Amino acid sequence: MDIKKPDAPKAINPSDVTICEATAQMLRKAQRDGVETAFDRAANMKACPIGADSACCKHCSMGPCRLNAKDPYSKVGVCGADIDTIQARNFARMVAAGTAAHTDHGMSILDLFREVVSGHITDYKIKDTVKLENVAKSIGIDVEGKSVSEIAKELYTELEKTYTQIEGEIPFIRRVPPKTLETWRKLGIVPRGAMREIMEMMHRTHMGVDQQYENITRQFSRTALADGWGGSMVATELEDIMFGTPSPVCVEVNMGVLKENQVNIIIHGHEPSLFESVFESVNEPSLIKAAKDAGAAGINLVGMCCSGAEMMVRHGVPHAGNFMSTEAVLVTGAVDAIGVDVQCIKQGLAKVAQCYGTVMFTTNPRCKIEGAQHIPFDDHNPKACTDEIVIKAITRFKNRTRPIEIPKIVNTGIHGFSHEYISYMLGGSFRSSYTPLNDNIINGRIRGVAGVVGCTNPRVKQDWVHVELVKELIKNDVLVLQTGCSQIALAKAGLTIPEASVLAGPGLREVCETVGMPPVLGLGACVDNSRILVAASEMVREGGLGDSIASLPVAGAAPEWMSEKAIAIGQYFVASGVYTVFGVTFPIVEKTRFHKHLFEELEQMGLGKWGFTADPYEMARMMIAHIDKKRKALGLDKSRERVLVDMADRRSMEAA
Ligand code: NFS
Ligand code: SF4
């Protein structure tokens, strides 16, 4: 009998899968050590082609049903569901899951805020009272003559509606430009409360309910808006109020931030409440002493992924890397403890941690992982958990046995551009406003603004698509705003420092040099994409660039996305009026009606639209073409030609 031997696992070449040299160095070490990472698993796990096209449904046990992506209308599911229904339902559930993740994060922060306001929690406090007042005012709360505590209580009551409201419009809708809001009202997509929208979305995608892709699209747009203008925005604003609104700081990024002679602790996840408390714990004199008694020079706290990005911009905590580097960083052997909370935590981390003797802790009741120790984190007594993490890290430091190899790469970057700071930076403290940004767009020095955000993904070369896309955009005078793992890719590539403006086109370069800012502005974590929405609203309010977000010369991209959260973010940008281009792969079959709906028809309805290409240069071209189309509609195509002529004139004068 012919017995087929299983194929030997495919080996990866580290320099083919990432442009992050530190990650590549650690992947080589992992190969020597016989340790497997997501890069290896991706090479050996062929993506299911039917799933990748979203041409299957398993919403009931008459199926699962698989349709033919090559000939999408040749077949329907057992219940009769066609390709458009099946794809729309799958897409809708991705939006619902992503929205649930951001809104549940926001809800934890809201819970914390309530307990702080009512005095039940004293370990955290209201730090930024100016922001508290501004946020309250932005949703119509009268702050005149009221104490901080009174305003905070009223703000809590209002913001709770973001989640629980059954009828009406969520509070931050008051920040939406009137014309954009008018479109949403006409389409019936203004979110009521996030819980209601997510619930209705899950109901409508159940077997045998909503089977018209346009109607499903309306509900997932509404659900996504409950994320961007709801859950995510609540998270960002309350985190700023309690932990401080970011302003630019110089930070160190990359694996070289680990220190061989110190106790290294990594916090990875999304809710800064855990990280803020670890920050307190590592500064505790008794714990510093314990570390020194154990022979360490000190305690070195380092972030990864999104809560890392938040701590970086609020406290200058160094950042070791983005999503695809979380396993690789443990391969250094230098990490004494890694504490995680929720989202983007690979289960594979537990095994890598075990291989190198790193202690891994889960802390949130929502996220336990086999092989990791669970120390429950409670906002009411946060130090009980975080002191324990530090103590366990010190013990591991004392008992280090394995050789350590830390890539000697450290990059610096300036990050922490909140939408408040952008207005201050461009307008100055006395006339803080978006006027200079709008003026520079109108006069053509800045061609437009792009948001480049999102994950890294082992299906593409880590960081490469982000970096090439952003370089291409700034070269063409497009100012780039960034969040999440994407900004870490650019920081490692050295593009988040003012000196990087030499890579920008002449107009953008002039603005950057005048203001002293980098051409690439890091705004924070993925929930902080809400800052981009607020900035866009401010640009509309400022005037001169049309009357809705859809009329602005802006575009968005998630070039290496992987999570359902990214789809929710993409959809809320699209529904807000932004052309949004995704890379890697897109979970919809081309040439279907649903595809046409998302990629063309939504724009005709006054919203934004989706775009897709895996190629960074093509992506830049598509985004720039869209920006130019919007400039033309605003009558700004001529001003840019003028400014470029001026620039050439000036240069020839300088040369003379
Ligand atoms: Ni955003 Fe943050 Fe990173 Fe992607 Fe994950 S960490 S919330 S989802 S991988 S950018
Ligand atoms: Fe198949 Fe319809 Fe059931 Fe989906 S809902 S699995 S398409 S029968």
Side-chain angles (χ1 to χ4, degrees):
M1 205 169 73
D2 197 19
I3 297 173
K4 197 171 174 281
K5 271 203 263 146
D7 294 338
K10 249 185 259 154
I12 54 160
N13 177 1
S15 25
D16 289 346
V17 298
T18 179
I19 60 162
C20 172
E21 281 171 33
T23 302
Q25 184 183 336
M26 287 305 100
L27 292 179
R28 280 188 283 272
K29 180 170 187 290
Q31 286 176 332
R32 289 195 304 273
D33 298 345
V35 170
E36 180 195 89
T37 70
F39 287 104
D40 303 297
R41 291 187 292 270
N44 288 286
M45 170 86 64
K46 194 172 174 294
C48 163
I50 304 164
D53 283 331
S54 198
C56 57
C57 175
K58 58 180 182 71
H59 292 198
C60 85
S61 76
M62 295 189 285
C65 301
R66 294 177 299 171
L67 305 195
N68 181 355
K70 302 258 165 339
D71 189 3
Y73 294 102
S74 62
K75 249 171 124 179
V76 292
V78 174
C79 66
D82 64 11
I83 186 83
D84 298 306
T85 297
I86 288 175
Q87 294 186 115
R89 283 197 303 218
N90 290 341
F91 199 80
R93 287 203 167 181
M94 292 181 87
V95 171
T99 298
H102 288 138
T103 28
D104 200 31
H105 165 176
M107 185 125 213
S108 299
I109 301 299
L110 188 78
D111 284 337
L112 173 61
F113 186 62
R114 180 187 60 246
E115 295 296 276
V116 167
V117 170
S118 60
H120 296 139
I121 285 182
T122 49
D123 284 273
Y124 302 89
K125 42 187 84 51
I126 291 176
K127 208 167 176 182
D128 190 341
T129 51
V130 175
K131 176 118 191 190
L132 173 76
E133 281 193 18
N134 287 338
V135 174
K137 280 193 280 192
S138 79
I139 55 170
I141 296 173
D142 179 15
V143 300
E144 238 2 81
K146 288 182 190 155
S147 69
V148 164
S149 144
E150 284 166 332
I151 300 170
K153 280 188 185 132
E154 270 187 60
L155 182 62
Y156 173 80
T157 313
E158 268 306 299
L159 292 187
E160 199 189 61
K161 295 181 186 161
T162 305
Y163 301 88
T164 56
Q165 184 170 261
I166 290 169
E167 271 308 330
E169 300 177 346
I170 56 171
F172 282 132
I173 287 306
R174 294 187 186 82
R175 292 174 160 187
V176 179
K179 186 71 193 301
T180 302
L181 185 54
E182 194 189 303
T183 309
W184 293 357
R185 285 189 178 138
K186 203 173 74 209
L187 295 171
I189 59 170
V190 184
R192 294 159 292 184
M195 289 173 171
R196 175 148 208 187
E197 302 311 350
I198 296 167
M199 177 171 65
E200 186 173 320
M201 191 75 268
M202 294 310 283
H203 173 198
R204 281 165 67 165
T205 50
H206 184 275
M207 188 272 150
V209 188
D210 204 348
Q211 285 153 111
Q212 189 192 54
Y213 64 93
E214 292 117 314
N215 206 39
I216 297 170
T217 303
R218 268 200 293 279
Q219 181 57 20
F220 69 64
S221 297
R222 198 178 200 184
T223 306
L225 290 173
D227 176 349
W229 299 87
S232 281
M233 202 172 276
V234 168
T236 296
E237 301 299 51
L238 292 183
E239 283 164 11
D240 280 357
I241 288 169
M242 291 189 287
F243 311 135
T245 306
S247 59
V249 279
C250 185
V251 290
E252 292 191 331
V253 175
N254 218 327
M255 288 188 205
V257 301
L258 294 174
K259 307 249 165 54
E260 181 154 6
N261 62 352
Q262 296 200 22
V263 177
N264 291 304
I265 301 176
I266 286 185
I267 301 297
H268 157 37
H270 286 79
E271 296 184 358
S273 37
L274 169 74
F275 212 145
E276 291 278 342
S277 178
V278 183
F279 189 66
E280 296 286 315
S281 293
V282 299
N283 286 303
E284 198 64 63
S286 62
L287 291 174
I288 296 175
K289 184 173 178 302
K292 294 205 164 140
D293 291 347
I299 309 174
N300 184 33
L301 177 64
V302 169
M304 289 196 89
C305 289
C306 277
S307 57
E310 293 202 35
M311 291 302 283
M312 175 175 98
V313 298
R314 290 205 179 89
H315 304 288
V317 170
H319 198 289
N322 57 27
F323 176 68
M324 278 316 291
S325 300
T326 52
E327 287 169 311
V329 80
L330 300 182
V331 177
T332 59
V335 183
D336 296 298
I338 178 168
V340 300
D341 50 32
V342 287
Q343 299 172 20
C344 303
I345 323 285
K346 299 187 195 83
Q347 188 168 352
L349 284 172
K351 193 134 179 240
V352 182
Q354 258 161 18
C355 292
Y356 293 96
T358 297
V359 259
M360 177 167 173
F361 301 101
T362 54
T363 58
N364 191 297
R366 294 168 184 79
C367 168
K368 292 190 179 183
I369 295 176
E370 239 179 81
Q373 298 180 40
H374 189 77
I375 309 183
F377 176 79
D378 176 2
D379 290 336
H380 295 81
N381 184 16
K383 296 289 278 309
C385 166
T386 56
D387 283 358
E388 177 79 12
I389 292 178
V390 178
I391 291 164
K392 292 266 172 63
I394 295 170
T395 310
R396 191 284 185 167
F397 177 89
K398 241 188 314 200
N399 301 321
R400 278 186 192 175
T401 49
R402 292 173 183 74
I404 284 172
E405 178 183 335
I406 301 173
K408 302 257 168 301
I409 309 170
V410 179
N411 310 101
T412 53
I414 313 282
H415 295 247
F417 296 88
S418 50
H419 58 81
E420 289 89 345
Y421 194 84
I422 293 175
S423 126
Y424 163 77
M425 167 174 74
L426 293 165
S429 50
F430 296 110
R431 48 186 188 93
S432 152
S433 81
Y434 274 75
T435 316
L437 176 62
N438 282 29
D439 283 353
N440 278 307
I441 293 174
I442 292 166
N443 68 30
R445 280 193 188 84
I446 296 178
R447 189 177 200 150
V449 181
V452 179
V453 307
C455 327
T456 50
N457 182 325
R459 299 281 174 205
V460 296
K461 196 175 199 171
Q462 182 193 8
D463 296 346
W464 182 77
V465 198
H466 290 291
V467 172
E468 292 306 304
L469 168 66
V470 170
K471 278 191 192 159
E472 209 55 30
L473 290 170
I474 62 172
K475 193 166 87 190
N476 286 285
D477 293 313
V478 176
L479 175 67
V480 174
L481 307 184
Q482 291 214 286
T483 60
C485 290
S486 184
Q487 73 179 314
I488 304 303
L490 270 296
K492 288 187 291 177
L495 265 81
T496 58
I497 48 172
E499 293 75 13
S501 61
V502 296
L503 299 173
L508 177 60
R509 181 175 174 175
E510 192 189 344
V511 176
C512 289
E513 282 172 355
T514 311
V515 181
M517 70 179 196
V520 178
L521 305 179
L523 271 65
C526 272
V527 288
D528 297 328
N529 280 320
S530 62
R531 298 190 200 277
I532 301 182
L533 295 178
V534 177
S537 301
E538 291 297 322
M539 285 165 71
V540 174
R541 196 162 336 231
E542 193 56 53
L545 295 175
D547 53 5
S548 72
I549 296 177
S551 60
L552 294 172
V554 304
E560 301 181 22
W561 77 281
M562 62 88 199
S563 79
E564 291 169 316
K565 288 180 290 174
I567 290 287
I569 292 169
Q571 186 59 37
Y572 75 61
F573 272 107
V574 167
S576 297
V578 180
Y579 176 45
T580 305
V581 189
F582 269 38
V584 191
T585 178
F586 204 88
I588 293 180
V589 181
E590 282 179 21
K591 301 196 187 69
T592 55
R593 293 178 299 166
F594 179 56
H595 188 275
K596 187 163 193 249
H597 195 51
L598 293 195
F599 283 65
E600 294 171 34
E601 291 163 4
L602 290 184
E603 187 178 46
Q604 293 150 15
M605 291 157 63
L607 307 175
K609 65 175 176 185
W610 283 92
F612 166 73
T613 173
D615 175 67
Y617 312 108
E618 173 64 6
M619 197 177 283
R621 196 198 56 72
M622 288 158 69
M623 294 167 77
I624 293 165
H626 179 81
I627 285 170
D628 285 350
K629 180 175 98 178
K630 294 292 171 184
R631 291 190 68 89
K632 190 152 189 234
L634 292 164
L636 300 175
D637 42 337
K638 294 287 171 297
S639 64
R640 205 181 132 68
E641 283 162 26
R642 240 184 349 261
V643 78
L644 292 179
V645 172
D646 281 357
M647 214 67 73
D649 286 352
R650 207 172 309 162
R651 225 164 271 134
S652 63
M653 272 157 55
E654 277 165 16

